[in-house]
């Protein structure tokens, strides 16, 4: 168990993006069943975003409806919401936009506290102290927000932020497909400051589940069509890692997704590593139950994965050109 903003969270979190950031939002009945299954499996750290969906249908409106139906669950969930972007998804850490983002979030939630708020990207034009100051003085001290997280930041930003305020967590992309933070100082900085690392897309945006066997399997309206790693010229190369993960999972007697999440679980126990909380997204109860199963990997199995990763080079970058990451 880990602590985020003074609250206990389970070894797995739960991502809400897949419910509302799509052309066909998941019906409430299915979404609620899936969310209840996550909570029943100790996946109580729920991660959403102001911009996951439209102003009318988003993470907060879904959560508001859920907590209205299941008010007893509200205190069980540790809620993390990303915001701080303008309407054109450009980072804006100014006091005016932080107030707008948080007021919008809290209003859509129906007044429910945001346990952790994180700017989705750092605004290079506004000092961290200015952004944090607004959150602390106007929202944390008034009980509307519990703590501050960082998202997609560099090691230098983590060190800088830790000197200004208490950082509850750092959200980054981390999976067998995305291991940059293990070598660029981000994981080491989190460990140094005892900050949990929150791993989004821990299943390689679905690739590591075996869901996609070719680029043609990706729905035409899916965001993956805009990501370099899912382009036809890169897909077949990246599928090679999926095949190796499938082979390793078969030997372990688990699913590829369970192996990928087990790797993160075992990775966090290595010396010099921070606590890692994966937040896989799911839209069905069956997938939640699968992802919740904790698979322990032996040192020998971890060494085999290390060897596999050392020989494999992922084709394509995580995002398209010009997208701000690790700022």
């Amino acid at each position: 168990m880990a602590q985020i903003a003074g609250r206990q969270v389970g070894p797995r979190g739960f991502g809400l993006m897949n419910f509302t950031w799509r052309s066909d939002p998941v019906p409430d009945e299915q979404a609620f069943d899936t969310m209840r299954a996550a909570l029943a499996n100790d996946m109580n750290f729920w991660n959403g975003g102001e911009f996951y969906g439209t102003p009318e249908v988003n993470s907060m409106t879904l959560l508001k409806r859920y907590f209205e139906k299941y008010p007893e669950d509200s205190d069980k969930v540790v809620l993390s919401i990303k915001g701080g972007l303008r309407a054109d998804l450009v980072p804006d850490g100014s006091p005016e936009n932080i107030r707008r983002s948080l007021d919008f979030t809290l209003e859509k939630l129906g007044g429910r506290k945001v346990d952790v708020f994180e700017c989705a990207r750092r605004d290079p034009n506004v000092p961290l102290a200015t952004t944090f100051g607004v959150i602390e003085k106007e929202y944390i001290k008034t009980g509307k927000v519990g703590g501050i997280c960082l998202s997609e930041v560099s090691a230098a930003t983590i060190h800088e932020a830790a000197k200004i305020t208490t950082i509850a967590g750092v959200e980054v992309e981390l999976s067998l497909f995305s291991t940059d933070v293990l070598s660029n100082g981000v994981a080491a900085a989190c460990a140094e400051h005892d900050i949990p690392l929150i791993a989004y897309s821990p299943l390689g945006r679905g690739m590591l589940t075996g869901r996609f066997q070719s680029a043609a399997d990706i729905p035409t309206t899916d965001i993956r069509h805009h990501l370099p790693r899912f382009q036809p010229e890169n897909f077949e190369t990246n599928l090679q890692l999926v095949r190796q993960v499938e082979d390793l999972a078969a030997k372990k007697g688990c699913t590829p997704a369970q192996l990928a999440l087990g790797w993160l679980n075992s990775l966090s126990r290595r010396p010099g590593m921070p606590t890692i909380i994966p937040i896989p997204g799911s839209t069905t109860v069956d997938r939640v139950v699968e992802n919740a199963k904790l698979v322990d990997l032996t040192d020998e199995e971890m060494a085999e994965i290390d060897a596999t990763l050392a020989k494999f080079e992922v084709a394509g970058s995580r995002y398209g050109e010009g997208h701000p990451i690790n700022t």
Side-chain angles (χ1 to χ4, degrees):
M1 300 289 281
Q3 284 236 343
I4 290 185
R7 297 195 59 193
Q8 291 282 344
V9 301
R12 296 267 197 281
F14 185 64
L16 296 169
M17 181 181 73
N18 289 345
F19 288 122
T20 54
W21 204 353
R22 48 194 288 164
S23 58
D24 55 337
V26 175
D28 276 2
E29 183 178 2
Q30 178 183 337
F32 291 176
D33 285 347
T34 306
M35 294 158 78
R36 293 216 92 189
L39 206 51
N41 283 277
D42 294 326
M43 300 165 78
N44 70 323
F45 180 75
W46 291 7
N47 180 277
E50 172 196 350
F51 47 87
Y52 287 173
T54 67
E56 297 76 30
V57 180
N58 49 53
S59 294
M60 294 84 68
T61 59
L62 174 68
L63 286 160
K64 182 175 185 288
R65 296 194 303 274
Y66 177 85
F67 291 136
E68 285 175 346
K69 185 169 184 178
Y70 301 107
E72 69 275 14
D73 287 352
S74 183
D75 289 340
K76 301 173 186 176
V77 172
V78 181
L79 181 59
S80 173
I81 296 292
K82 287 186 289 294
L85 303 181
R86 299 195 317 238
D88 55 3
L89 301 184
V90 171
D92 183 350
S94 66
E96 295 77 16
N97 190 58
I98 293 301
R99 292 187 188 103
R100 179 211 59 77
S101 181
L102 269 167
D103 290 346
F104 174 81
T105 295
L106 292 163
E107 186 270 326
K108 290 295 182 182
L109 280 171
R112 199 267 191 198
K113 178 180 180 178
V114 173
D115 297 298
V116 175
F117 179 78
E118 53 185 290
C119 293
R121 297 292 186 274
R122 179 178 182 176
D123 182 352
N125 301 310
V126 178
L128 290 178
T130 299
T131 300
F132 294 164
V134 172
I135 300 171
E136 288 183 323
K137 294 174 184 176
E138 299 180 27
Y139 295 91
I140 293 179
K141 287 188 176 179
T142 57
K144 299 174 183 176
V145 172
I148 296 172
C149 265
L150 303 175
S151 174
E152 282 284 8
V153 293
S154 66
T157 292
I158 296 170
H159 291 305
E160 180 184 352
K163 294 177 182 177
I164 300 170
T165 190
T166 298
I167 302 299
V170 173
E171 183 179 344
V172 295
E173 184 172 358
L174 175 58
S175 74
L176 290 166
F177 264 116
S178 301
T179 60
D180 296 354
V181 298
L182 305 181
S183 58
N184 64 11
V186 167
C190 287
E192 179 179 334
H193 298 290
D194 196 25
I195 300 171
L197 193 156
I198 301 158
Y200 78 84
S201 296
L203 301 177
R205 300 181 185 273
M207 276 288 283
L208 293 167
T209 67
R211 175 183 174 190
F212 306 115
Q213 297 301 311
S214 73
D217 292 337
I218 304 172
T220 55
T221 57
D222 196 292
I223 191 174
R224 295 172 184 85
H225 276 292
H226 303 286
L227 302 177
R229 290 180 180 174
F230 290 85
Q231 300 308 305
E233 64 272 19
N234 295 326
F235 193 94
E236 288 302 317
T237 297
N238 293 332
L239 201 58
Q240 295 174 24
L241 178 59
V242 177
R243 298 285 180 252
Q244 293 176 63
V245 171
E246 288 173 343
D247 290 343
L248 292 169
K251 287 197 293 184
K252 183 68 175 175
C254 63
T255 69
Q258 289 168 346
L259 183 97
L261 293 169
W263 174 74
L264 288 170
N265 186 52
S266 299
L267 190 66
S268 68
R269 295 201 298 266
R270 284 183 167 175
M273 286 295 297
T275 296
I276 299 174
I277 303 169
I279 48 172
S282 309
T283 57
T284 65
V285 171
D286 287 347
R287 190 65 82 180
V288 164
V289 173
E290 176 187 351
N291 290 344
K293 182 178 179 180
L294 296 177
V295 174
D296 281 324
L297 301 180
T298 65
D299 290 343
E300 291 76 15
E301 289 165 337
M302 288 293 286
E304 189 172 359
I305 294 174
D306 287 343
T308 294
L309 293 177
K311 292 183 292 185
F312 180 81
E313 184 173 350
V314 178
S317 58
R318 294 196 290 128
Y319 290 99
E321 186 175 349
H323 190 100
I325 56 175
N326 298 134
T327 52

